[in-house]
Amino acid sequence: MDASGAAALGEGGRLDPGTLARLSGQAFCQAFVEQLAQGFGADLVTVGELKVMETERIRVLASWFDGQQLGDFEYEACVTPCHDVVLSGAPHVFPCRVQELYPDDGMFIEEGIQSYAGVALKNSAGETAGLLQAAWRREIGDGAAQQIVAVMEQFAPRLGAEIAGLQTLAALTSLAAGPDGTSPREAFRQLAGQLQGALKVRSAFIAECIDDRPDCFRVLACCSEGRMLAGAEDAVVPYDGTPCACLQGPENFLVPDGLQEAFPSQDHFRTQNLHSYLGIPVTDRNGSVIGHFALQHDREISQRTQESELIALFAARIGLELRRRKAEKRRRQAEAAQLIKRKTECLGLLAGTISHEFNNLLASMQGRAELALAHLKTAHPAQEHVQEVEQGLQDSAVLVRQLLNYAGSGSGRERGACDLNAIVRETMRLVPVERRKGKAVVLDLAEGELAARMDPAQVGQLLTNLVLNAVEAIGPGAGTVTIATRRTCLDDAERRKLLKGRKMPAGACLLLEVRDTGGGMGQDTVTRIFDPFFTTKPGSRGLGLAAALGIISRHQGGLAVDSRKGEGSAFRFYFPACGAPDQQDGAVLPAARQRGAGARRILVVDDEDTVRRAVAGLLQLRGCEVQQADGYDAALAQLQANGPFDGAVIDMTMPGRSGWETLSGLLALQPGLNAVMMSGFAISAAAAGFPELADIQVLDKPFTKEKLYKAVFT
């Protein structure tokens, strides 16, 4: 057979080196297979590159079959001799009966192939990147087989280099063109797929650092065996126990083999039969690590792989995309903060316009309802109905107060230095157990006193709203709401994450955090939860969190929200810190303004006749002698004609001269006059230009008779 085989194979099986030397890339591969087929009488010759997919596949780059080119196509290698060539990296030669050895190779049977020779093509790192193969419909004999294998092995390094060059060119072209779409997610998916395909590994993934969770990283895209793993996207993975933990610094990390033994806690390395790992950290322009990408393979990854130009090119491109992602995230955060600011300003203007008049109406109706109840006999048929009216008025007052808090227009009280821990403890003491719906509420408070200038009532309201929202977010069954306080200091990176308060004063601040074990929220919901009247809970008004936004704004603080679907939520409020809390002694006021139980002659000043008469009527129920005035001039005239008075109740906002100016004028005539301010739209004494009146009590309209009596008589 050798003699006839030699005659059939042509004259010496020679190639034309001169022609081949002038060619490169695809042209070289195609010219080579044609010359090899003609020189050795082969019916089929192909040069193919290896593709690591779900099953190993060969992509044919150049071919010659019965005198024709077959074009670019792929086929599975698992039932062909190609698989053994790729797996072993050694030549395989079958001078005869190849169909008997590979009975599942349908093409061999269909075309009557009898003989086969295949040689692995390797890249510069010594890894199999493809193969060269030839086949005959006849038996070629051992001598001819050895001759053709020798020629194939002679040209194998050149063919391996050409394949590597074509792969590099394809990767460069794709990287230069950029992602197909504008979606950042699609960009990372495309890059992960290019990584896995170009470097011929089982899987490749791209991850980013998480600013507020330095112990974890987030997977942005993962390609395994040619398939994108959608379930891996956005997975938050702890560094602990993983090879990725070695990428938190600027150095690459390579495990060429023995991955399962080096990281025994990672079960998926065993289940996926992974043996090697190469991780590359990605940094920003300042050299800080912002993410990484990694290759994982079931065979050895060589040292030369991490030094290849392709790795450097992918690192540069992935770094660019990660920086774009961070910049886009900062832009969205800034837009969200700006949108919230505009909403707040618009609603503040609206609230300021209507709240005073509306609260005056509520104050008048509240006073009249209480006067009616005072005159109704016990068990009167109308008593229950009037009580329902009174409760409705109080609920209306709460609703308006929440709206004002959102708009940043709440109480006019001066904020003194208070202990945040004390406010938390007192607030939670007042939240009824039944409203917690069986959820555990855990206090994780910093040691000592945490002093900040705060309005305890407003901060208490903020905390109550947060806790009740957290309870609702957890839903049925068990869950935990954790309230934490800390001393901290916002750096620039943390300040950029704030939804509110990015310009809060630098320096020490206090953190109030409420986190829950609920189902979390998507980003779209997070951007809307502070809108007034937005709610995901049936029957809710949706003003609790809206009010919290106004409260933190009025305290010149900051607000951040961290929430993801399935991971719970964390609300963080920052308050500028100050010195030690003020020593509070609520029963002791300056000597000139101490109130006594004998205070009976009261001056009521309000431009709204209905409110003025309602307040006067409530005071008269307590046996007071009441004089009324509708403004500054009338109040001073009453004092001059009927004074002195034991006390005064003065509306803060009146046409012409304000309540603060009225009180100042009254004090000039009667120093030490005990006074209470009332308003539906309060302005602090300092803001009004009367800082010396900062200790005067302020009653928010509408108020109950109990609150009025407490302010006037205690």
Side-chain angles (χ1 to χ4, degrees):
M1 183 63 187
D2 288 348
S4 62
L9 290 173
E11 298 179 0
R14 296 176 181 176
L15 303 182
D16 182 1
T19 299
L20 294 175
R22 293 191 295 271
L23 302 175
S24 64
Q26 189 86 28
F28 173 85
C29 295
Q30 187 59 47
F32 178 80
V33 299
E34 291 180 12
Q35 291 191 23
L36 190 70
Q38 293 169 357
F40 288 90
D43 297 298
L44 169 69
V45 179
T46 66
V47 171
E49 67 169 333
L50 174 66
K51 299 194 73 175
V52 181
M53 310 290 282
E54 293 181 69
T55 57
E56 285 185 338
R57 297 176 67 83
I58 302 297
R59 175 173 174 258
V60 175
L61 302 176
S63 61
W64 190 255
F65 184 54
D66 289 344
Q68 295 182 338
Q69 297 180 19
L70 296 178
D72 192 332
F73 67 96
E74 293 183 12
Y75 65 91
E76 289 191 9
C78 57
V79 297
T80 70
C82 306
H83 173 75
D84 295 329
V85 175
V86 169
L87 190 64
S88 66
H92 278 57
V93 183
F94 306 101
C96 60
R97 298 193 305 275
V98 69
Q99 292 184 28
E100 297 176 15
L101 298 173
Y102 295 93
D104 294 325
D105 191 329
M107 194 273 282
F108 279 10
I109 296 173
E110 181 179 345
E111 297 295 335
I113 300 298
Q114 299 296 322
S115 307
Y116 175 90
V119 173
L121 305 178
K122 300 183 179 182
N123 58 24
S124 59
E127 301 163 337
T128 299
L131 86 158
L132 167 65
Q133 62 180 346
W136 295 262
R137 292 189 177 94
R138 59 187 175 279
E139 297 180 3
I140 60 174
D142 292 336
Q146 295 303 321
Q147 184 182 3
I148 193 169
V149 167
V151 174
M152 294 169 79
E153 287 187 310
Q154 179 185 354
F155 281 88
R158 171 71 187 276
L159 288 166
E162 294 295 346
I163 288 178
L166 289 171
Q167 291 171 345
T168 301
L169 179 61
L172 286 173
T173 302
S174 182
L175 288 173
D180 294 335
T182 57
S183 164
R185 184 178 298 279
E186 287 301 323
F188 286 113
R189 285 174 176 169
Q190 184 172 326
L191 284 167
Q194 292 168 354
L195 264 174
Q196 187 266 327
L199 294 164
K200 301 295 185 293
V201 292
R202 283 294 164 192
S203 68
F205 68 87
I206 302 170
E208 69 171 346
C209 299
I210 305 176
D211 293 336
D212 54 354
R213 296 185 65 179
D215 59 331
C216 298
F217 61 89
R218 178 180 291 109
V219 177
L220 300 177
C222 180
C223 182
S224 178
E225 300 179 321
R227 295 182 301 113
M228 299 308 303
L229 301 184
E233 293 176 354
D234 294 327
V236 175
V237 183
Y239 281 109
D240 187 36
T242 70
C244 296
C246 300
L247 300 175
Q248 294 175 281
E251 301 298 326
N252 298 350
F253 182 64
L254 172 65
V255 181
D257 201 0
L259 183 64
Q260 298 175 23
E261 294 76 18
F263 297 91
S265 65
Q266 301 299 302
D267 294 336
H268 68 283
F269 290 162
R270 287 188 293 276
T271 58
Q272 298 177 25
N273 194 32
L274 298 173
H275 295 281
S276 55
Y277 172 99
L278 171 61
I280 311 293
V282 179
T283 60
D284 61 16
R285 292 183 176 85
N286 299 321
S288 300
V289 176
I290 58 175
H292 63 271
F293 65 94
L295 313 176
Q296 300 174 131
H297 203 23
D298 55 7
R299 303 169 202 167
E300 180 179 351
I301 296 178
S302 69
Q303 176 71 27
R304 296 181 66 179
T305 300
Q306 72 169 322
E307 298 169 355
S308 71
E309 292 182 359
L310 268 181
I311 288 290
L313 290 169
F314 273 108
R317 182 52 184 272
I318 291 170
L320 175 63
E321 293 298 334
L322 282 175
R323 291 192 292 273
R324 284 178 176 172
R325 176 179 168 86
K326 289 180 71 69
E328 176 64 16
K329 189 180 296 184
R330 288 195 295 268
R331 183 189 66 79
R332 289 198 305 267
Q333 289 173 340
E335 287 182 349
Q338 186 64 27
L339 179 61
I340 289 174
K341 179 182 178 182
R342 289 198 296 268
K343 290 177 180 177
T344 304
E345 290 172 348
C346 292
L347 189 55
L349 179 61
L350 176 63
T353 303
I354 68 172
S355 62
H356 179 66
E357 296 300 327
F358 190 64
N359 277 330
N360 275 337
L361 291 172
L362 290 177
S364 173
M365 290 186 285
Q366 175 77 33
R368 293 294 182 178
E370 292 191 318
L371 284 172
L373 286 172
H375 289 93
L376 287 174
K377 294 180 180 180
T378 303
H380 191 284
Q383 187 178 47
E384 179 182 354
H385 302 298
V386 178
Q387 287 173 338
E388 289 292 334
V389 170
E390 184 185 28
Q391 183 60 51
L393 292 169
Q394 292 177 12
D395 291 343
S396 300
V398 171
L399 186 62
V400 175
R401 194 166 294 120
Q402 287 180 330
L403 191 59
L404 288 174
N405 280 332
Y406 169 79
S409 307
S411 170
R413 301 180 185 89
E414 300 295 328
R415 294 184 293 275
C418 304
D419 177 17
L420 179 58
N421 283 344
I423 294 174
V424 171
R425 293 190 187 97
E426 178 63 16
T427 300
M428 297 317 301
R429 186 182 66 82
L430 297 176
V431 175
V433 174
E434 58 270 17
R435 297 199 67 184
R436 304 182 187 186
K437 299 183 179 180
K439 309 303 184 290
V441 178
V442 177
L443 299 187
D444 179 16
L445 308 183
E447 294 183 358
E449 293 182 336
L450 303 183
R453 296 200 173 276
M454 297 180 286
D455 183 330
Q458 291 185 352
V459 176
Q461 178 190 338
L462 179 151
L463 180 58
T464 300
N465 288 335
L466 287 174
V467 170
L468 296 181
N469 271 292
V471 167
E472 293 288 344
I474 294 172
T480 301
V481 179
T482 303
I483 304 169
T485 60
R486 295 287 185 271
R487 298 176 183 84
T488 187
C489 185
L490 279 175
D491 57 27
D492 290 339
E494 292 171 318
R495 187 177 282 109
R496 284 195 296 268
K497 300 177 193 173
L498 297 179
L499 284 174
K500 184 73 175 177
R502 293 188 174 193
K503 295 183 179 179
M504 69 177 293
C509 59
L510 307 183
L511 168 66
L512 171 63
E513 180 184 67
V514 177
R515 59 183 183 271
D516 63 64
T517 56
M521 299 175 287
Q523 188 59 40
D524 291 344
T525 303
V526 170
T527 60
R528 297 191 61 195
I529 53 176
F530 295 102
D531 290 357
F533 309 113
F534 174 78
T535 179
T536 59
K537 297 177 294 183
S540 174
R541 298 189 184 106
L543 276 175
L545 289 177
L549 188 68
I551 291 171
I552 198 65
S553 175
R554 202 156 45 255
H555 283 77
Q556 297 181 321
L559 160 65
V561 180
D562 183 13
S563 184
R564 296 178 186 86
K565 282 286 188 181
E567 297 183 27
S569 302
F571 290 79
R572 300 183 183 96
F573 293 84
Y574 298 87
F575 299 89
C578 68
D582 297 338
Q583 296 299 318
Q584 302 292 333
D585 187 357
V588 180
L589 296 172
R593 300 191 182 140
Q594 290 202 18
R595 301 179 177 88
R600 287 294 181 267
R601 302 192 71 252
I602 308 297
L603 174 63
V604 177
V605 185
D606 196 312
D607 62 300
E608 292 287 341
D609 179 65
T610 56
V611 177
R612 188 174 65 247
R613 288 191 288 121
V615 173
L618 293 174
L619 291 171
Q620 288 166 348
L621 285 178
R622 287 289 299 265
C624 294
E625 177 187 334
V626 180
Q627 298 294 329
Q628 301 181 43
D630 61 4
Y632 177 90
D633 293 332
L636 266 62
Q638 282 283 7
L639 180 59
Q640 291 170 335
N642 301 304
F645 291 104
D646 297 310
V649 180
I650 306 170
D651 184 38
M652 190 181 296
T653 306
M654 297 184 292
R657 299 188 177 186
S658 71
W660 291 115
E661 189 173 359
T662 300
L663 175 57
S664 181
L666 292 173
L667 288 170
L669 295 176
Q670 183 182 330
L673 173 66
N674 293 322
V676 174
M677 303 300 290
M678 57 180 178
S679 179
F681 185 66
I683 301 172
S684 70
F690 298 91
E692 69 278 7
L693 303 178
D695 62 336
I696 299 297
Q697 286 196 72
V698 177
L699 276 176
D700 294 327
K701 292 179 180 176
F703 44 81
T704 63
K705 66 178 185 298
E706 287 77 13
K707 290 183 178 180
L708 175 65
Y709 295 159
K710 182 178 180 181
V712 173
F713 299 117
T714 60

